[in-house]
Amino acid sequence: WLLGAEAVPNGAGKAAAAEGLADKWRLPSHIVLLRHGESLGNIKESVYRVIPDWQIPLTERGKLQARNAGRKILDVVGKRKVVIYYSPYTRTVETLDQILETIPAEQVCIVQEEPRIREQDFGNYQDGTMKDIKKERVRFGRFFFRFPEGESGADVYDRVSSFFETLFRQFKRNPISKIGPDEDY
């Protein structure tokens, strides 16, 4: 999932000014990308045969990892406002819940589900042929191999790129009404 914090106000920020964007856009100076904590699928791959991928939950260790990540994120953002985009997968929502316990509610401006940043869809695991399919992927090439009933790495790249394009259009329009013109996010 994605978390943005600390805006570069108009006319400020060396990196944004160097690109000439600071006068036009209100850019966050921090973007934190975070994967979910340890899931049941990370420790027991056979679970994908009985539980749909998007419903795989976190383990207790994964919940602890998520709380620890939340504390580290809070160290980075300090008192700044926070905008969060997250995948609709169960393990990601559970990670989000743990992180939101560590960030004061008054700092959180937006929490928005964004399906374009979900994990790669590897198709259905139920038939037990995934081991052979993964061998074929190595032979064919990891990035361009499309899993049966699933996605290739290139497919994921395209949909995530679409999300980033949307995100930058939001920066340009500055639609975050919960953040005042002098507040950072």
Side-chain angles (χ1 to χ4, degrees):
W1 54 268
L2 176 81
L3 177 144
E6 188 184 353
V8 175
N10 291 342
K14 291 179 184 177
E19 295 185 28
L21 298 177
D23 293 331
K24 299 175 188 172
W25 297 4
R26 188 158 182 222
L27 300 172
S29 66
H30 290 86
I31 294 178
V32 178
L33 300 174
L34 179 71
R35 189 170 188 262
H36 59 79
E38 179 185 78
S39 74
L40 185 58
N42 294 132
I43 62 170
K44 188 176 181 183
E45 192 169 307
S46 65
V47 76
Y48 289 100
R49 292 185 183 185
V50 293
I51 301 175
D53 187 16
W54 68 274
Q55 291 181 332
I56 302 285
L58 288 180
T59 62
E60 289 305 312
R61 180 175 180 224
K63 290 176 184 177
L64 177 63
Q65 290 170 335
R67 284 190 298 276
N68 289 337
R71 286 188 282 277
K72 289 178 182 179
I73 289 168
L74 194 56
D75 288 343
V76 170
V77 301
K79 302 274 186 206
R80 296 177 197 96
K81 300 288 186 177
V82 176
V83 176
I84 298 172
Y85 298 91
Y86 65 95
S87 157
Y89 279 34
T90 298
R91 57 191 171 268
T92 308
V93 173
E94 290 176 344
T95 298
L96 170 67
D97 290 343
Q98 297 300 313
I99 287 173
L100 287 176
E101 288 183 20
T102 66
I103 299 174
E106 62 273 7
Q107 282 184 251
V108 179
C109 293
I110 295 175
V111 177
Q112 182 176 321
E113 182 178 283
E114 179 49 71
R116 290 177 290 180
I117 59 173
R118 71 188 183 279
E119 291 192 28
Q120 181 175 359
D121 185 346
F122 291 102
N124 293 320
Y125 282 82
Q126 289 80 9
D127 63 6
T129 61
M130 188 52 72
K131 189 180 239 182
D132 294 332
I133 292 170
K134 285 182 176 180
K135 286 179 186 175
E136 178 66 14
R137 175 179 68 162
V138 170
R139 189 186 68 70
F140 187 86
R142 294 178 64 93
F143 186 71
F144 295 105
F145 179 80
R146 182 172 287 120
F147 285 84
E149 300 179 40
E151 298 177 291
S152 69
D155 295 329
V156 175
Y157 179 89
D158 289 344
R159 72 173 153 79
V160 172
S161 294
S162 167
F163 167 70
F164 279 113
E165 290 168 7
T166 300
L167 193 62
F168 275 88
R169 280 193 304 275
Q170 288 176 341
F171 294 155
K172 189 172 184 176
R173 288 193 314 261
N174 191 22
I176 303 172
S177 60
K178 296 179 182 179
I179 300 175
D182 297 327
E183 288 186 289
D184 287 342
Y185 79 106

